[in-house]
Amino acid sequence: MNDKALTIVKWSFEIVLIIILSFMYYLNQPVRTQKVVFIPSGSINQIITQLRERNYNVSKLDSLLLRLIGSPQSGWIDMGDNYSSRGDFLYKLTTAKAALQKVTLIPGETTYMFLNELSQKLLLDREKLESEYLRQTNQLEGALVPNTYKMPIGITERELIRILLYNSHNQMKDLSLKLFGTYNEKKWFHFVAIASVIQKESANIEEMPLVSSVIYNRIKKGMKLQMDGTLNYGEYSHIKITPKRIREDDSIYNTYKNRGVPEIPVCNVSFDAIRAAVFPANTDYLYFMKSKSGGHDFSCNYSTHLSNIKHVTK
């Protein structure tokens, strides 16, 4: 082999070695991540683009490397630590799945109580959850859509609240577009406030339009709502309402002292309650009383209401 051929082999070897060492150096560079990362469905290029938009230090070269390593999974990925080598980061995108925990927000539950549940089940800081909620939305109550959510263990307080509010906002906006043809936040949460009273007072979905009609009828006549359910706000969500509580509570939620529907929703509400708030039944009802069957007896005058009370209490 002549000197020219040896030189070509030598240079080729050195180029390959440089490429290999460069790749090794690149793959060992640290990548800062959340402990759990959400990977959307899509092509590798789309996934890399979305990760980059979320401030992850990834590039087109990572798209190429992923094609060699394997296809990324969609869903929540457990990264384990906040820092990984790039090679480990890319490998985990294709192999690691995060453990999920179910958390359920039931219709009528307050955000205060739901944050307690999130803190306990996902091992998160309760104060940070509340701080993030107040930072990310100007709606003190009613901004979350009741549902069962599957959340990864290891998610941060900030990311959890962001996801819950983002998904809830999109669902509310979609329903508003169906009902009104537009989405106006102030108008929407006016109905959420009415719906929250309906949610607290109704025994079932079928009753909701009837309870809604009582609310509108009493307001039209200038009557106070005088509904116990409005006092089941915040930390008092499951507290039995007593005459003493009614006398001592000076909050905006006390409809025995204040007229109209509280400006801030009492709780998070179902879409059935919102529809009832928008479309109340056409009735003359002004009163309702819980019956022995578990539902409510509705009445148009006070004498019938008193009779319904006696029927239940005797």
Side-chain angles (χ1 to χ4, degrees), residues 44-157:
I44 291 177
N45 285 337
Q46 290 173 328
I47 290 170
I48 291 297
T49 298
Q50 293 193 39
L51 286 173
R52 190 163 57 243
E53 289 174 350
R54 286 153 56 191
N55 298 320
Y56 284 93
N57 182 24
V58 292
S59 66
K60 291 184 178 180
L61 180 56
D62 294 310
S63 296
L64 174 62
L65 291 171
L66 277 173
R67 285 179 170 81
L68 299 175
I69 297 172
S71 297
Q73 304 178 91
S74 61
W76 290 101
I77 306 297
D78 182 6
M79 290 297 171
D81 299 308
N82 290 120
Y83 286 93
S84 302
S85 68
R86 186 173 299 275
D88 193 35
F89 172 77
L90 296 175
Y91 178 71
K92 285 181 178 178
L93 291 183
T94 68
T95 61
K97 276 286 189 181
L100 301 179
Q101 173 69 57
K102 287 184 179 180
V103 287
T104 300
L105 173 59
I106 62 172
E109 189 56 277
T110 64
T111 299
Y112 181 95
M113 301 302 292
F114 186 50
L115 294 182
N116 286 347
E117 182 179 359
L118 292 174
S119 174
Q120 294 167 7
K121 288 193 173 182
L122 295 172
L123 306 178
L124 296 172
D125 187 291
R126 173 63 174 74
E127 290 186 5
K128 287 183 179 179
L129 283 171
E130 185 170 354
S131 176
E132 282 298 330
Y133 178 86
L134 295 175
R135 188 182 70 82
Q136 295 186 40
T137 179
N138 58 2
Q139 302 298 334
L140 298 179
E141 184 62 89
L144 300 175
V145 173
N147 207 337
T148 295
Y149 298 92
K150 292 182 180 179
M151 291 298 174
I153 297 173
I155 192 172
T156 64
E157 290 84 0

Side-chain angles (χ1 to χ4, degrees), residues 135-196:
R135 188 182 70 82
Q136 295 186 40
T137 179
N138 58 2
Q139 302 298 334
L140 298 179
E141 184 62 89
L144 300 175
V145 173
N147 207 337
T148 295
Y149 298 92
K150 292 182 180 179
M151 291 298 174
I153 297 173
I155 192 172
T156 64
E157 290 84 0
R158 176 177 295 184
E159 184 69 3
L160 174 60
I161 295 300
R162 186 193 71 79
I163 290 169
L164 291 174
L165 288 174
Y166 177 79
N167 289 340
S168 295
H169 172 77
N170 285 344
Q171 291 180 66
M172 290 182 182
K173 186 176 180 180
D174 287 345
L175 180 59
S176 180
L177 290 173
K178 291 177 182 177
L179 295 178
F180 307 116
T182 185
Y183 176 73
N184 178 284
E185 185 176 276
K186 184 177 181 180
K187 178 180 179 181
W188 177 258
F189 278 95
H190 165 72
F191 284 111
V192 172
I194 298 171
S196 70

